[in-house]
Amino acid sequence: MNAFGLIQIGLILSSTTIISSLQCNHLPFQQRKVIENSLRLLDKMGKEFPQQCLREKMSFRFPTQVLQPRQKETVGAAIEEIFQHIFYIFSKNLTLAAWDRTVLDQFQNGLYLQIEQLEACVIEKHTQHCQSKEVSRLKLKKYFQKIDCFLKDKQHDLCSWEISRAEMRRCLQLIDKVTRKL
Amino acid sequence: DTGWQELPGCQAVAGTGCDFSSAISEYYDAHYVRVRAQAGPLLSPWSKVLEMVPEQVAQIGPPGLELQSTNGVVKVMVSPPEANQRKKMWIDNLSFKYNLVFWENSSHAQLQSKNIFPVDTIDGLAPDSTYCFKVQANLPKEGKQGLFSPTSCVKTTQKVNDSLCPTNLSILALNMKFQLLWNSQENQDVNYNVQYLLGFWKKLHDDYSDKWLSVPRCENITSTWCNFSSIITTTGFHYLRVQAREGHNKSCFSKEVRVDPLKTNGIGPPGVRLDLSDTLLHILISPPGGAEDEVMRDHYDLSYRILYWKNSSDMKEEVKQKEVKQTIATVPDVSPSTLYCVKVQAFSEPYNKSSAYSQQECIHTPAGTPLPLVIFGIFMGALLVVLLVATPLVFVLYQAYNKIKYVFFPSCQPPLNIEGLGARPFSSPYLSAAAEESVENCCVIESMVTEEGNQIVFTDYKHSNQSSRDSGNYSNDDNTSGSKGSKETLDKEMV
């Protein structure tokens, strides 16, 4: 208990319920950290892209226009959508990918926290129905549907997972660039 | 009129509606539908075109619901809509938010509504009562509310009040060092096991009971606290629970507590050091968490609030404030012979958190010297330095000048009756030593007279022999030795 002698000066007790707060100030700063961390973990969970999978590489054509910073809110909603989709993809059957499970779990955990916090903050502004937001959302759904179908068709084998991982890395890097500008 | 296709199952329909699901394969693309009536050979014109995107107009179907009544609580398991369908409208079934509505099956039942995870527990229910449940899947971002599942009812059991279960879980967190504390009964024979779960597992549809892991160094312990800093990461949250075990068969889990590291954590006070230089007071701040640990600075975007004031016993001085982002701050123009006191607080603007103030540090500024005295002192010092440096330098230069003057421009010239000298520009004994010897070989012959002086002369010869070799100065200048000089030169010839 000696090590905690200073606790008297700065202790914070948390209650047993979830501290839900709509304090969103920390979100932009935290988001940058989450993306950095996610990219690091994405690299760490597996090895280099296997040579034999180069033949199967497919162009999914990420809709980069959804991240064009025309309107801050639209881009924010797009980023949240992308995080949600990436979280979903990496929750599938990953046995054939043979990645480091601990690292993958941390990756998922980081993404999920960010998604949850974005939901809590964005939910206030939901009433505005924006046409451009709808168009962005549908474009992203199409893109991730392509990846989902690709994985299903290849029965979630190693190459399909490695290709998907490389594609997700690209997504996160694009988000990273946009987040730094915001 | 090209591109329009006939919808299968919707040709020659008697009623005013038809199902054309089989024709829809692209859920995110815009589709256009039009209809016309036919009465015998007569065809009506086409109706207005209806534009629709399947995904936008589609409604979310009912989810599946399973209930389990155990120990006074009800465990709820929700399966997503389209659970076993090959082709799904809602591909990402993890984005559903499930809204559970339940009520007690009595006369004046009150509907309760709760947002739940796919696998969740409902507690706070009256024992031995029947409760009915139904759940809907929503997509709040798209403003969609799904259809409710069929209602399912279950009877709650008696809650076994186990005093073994740890209660009152609380967390103390400072500078990213986390400690879990709980209450226990007085029984000494109880072992505790602290477990943690990564937060995201609850979001998935699978049962996460096998995903709980033990916190290192908190397995089979008897103390009622646990340091779980080792499992904490700055991105991501966790749930914690404590299992109490008595003997081999009795075991009980406490309620879960959620930990959001960066939100739960408290920022400790920074360290302060003061330094003085001239009229500047330097405040050196060491960040909370220590210099070696970058976590606090990296994740909180720390800034520092500095309070400083003049501590004098007679009057109350105003406390000044300064906010900085760096760990060094400077207070300019401090008054001399004053006690300045400083205390610093670290705060994080994004997280709206601040630490306690550091210990107060005070420093006494030295007695200041009045300015004219300072200027005079500097002037005298400079003067002294100049004198100390300049005097030897001047002396050395003067000496050098003399030597050079003597060597290259001697003040005395050799006599003109010595041949060959006039022509030479550097007629100096130092520089023309070799030629001098030839000069000495010239002799002036004079008649020798006295006998008495012979011996004397001889000794003189010897004497002058030596001396003449030494320096030509003496042989040239002295008149009395002039004759001797001639004799000397004669002697030399003989030698």
Side-chain angles (χ1 to χ4, degrees), chain B residues 81-97:
Chain B
E82 305 180 292
N84 297 316
Q85 257 173 260
R86 179 96 175 86
K87 192 164 161 70
K88 294 194 174 98
M89 172 70 75
W90 322 106
I91 302 175
D92 177 11
N93 56 15
L94 293 183
S95 45
F96 285 128
K97 291 234 171 288

Side-chain angles (χ1 to χ4, degrees), chain B residues 163-174:
Chain B
S163 59
L164 182 67
C165 302
T167 53
N168 278 358
L169 267 69
S170 62
I171 297 171
L172 290 178
L174 189 73

Side-chain angles (χ1 to χ4, degrees), chain B residues 84 90 102 117 120 127 173 225 232 259 262 289 367 413 422 441 448 469 485:
Chain B
N84 297 316
W90 322 106
F102 58 102
F117 287 114
D120 216 327
W225 54 269
I232 291 291
V259 182
L262 293 174
Q413 297 288 329
N441 284 333
M448 307 268 270
R469 286 235 188 271

Side-chain angles (χ1 to χ4, degrees), chain A residues 9-10 12 26 29-30 33 37 80 84 88 105 109 113 116-117 119 126 134 137 141-142 148, chain B residues 29 55-56 91-92 97 140-142 171 174 198-200 235 237 258 260 263 298-299 350-351 356:
Chain A
I9 304 169
I12 288 180
H26 63 282
F29 177 71
Q30 188 175 282
K33 291 273 168 215
N37 198 49
E80 191 190 333
Q84 177 65 51
Y88 169 71
D105 286 348
N109 209 24
L113 176 65
E116 202 197 46
Q117 305 220 318
E119 270 170 7
H126 174 63
E134 272 302 304
R137 201 179 59 82
K141 285 210 170 201
K142 263 196 178 167
D148 193 52
Chain B
D29 290 339
E55 196 260 359
Q56 277 177 353
I91 302 175
D92 177 11
K97 291 234 171 288
K141 276 199 299 270
E142 287 149 53
I171 297 171
L174 189 73
L198 287 169
F200 80 97
T235 48
F237 67 100
R258 176 177 160 154
D260 268 283
K263 282 209 173 131
D298 277 347
H299 289 89
Y351 287 91

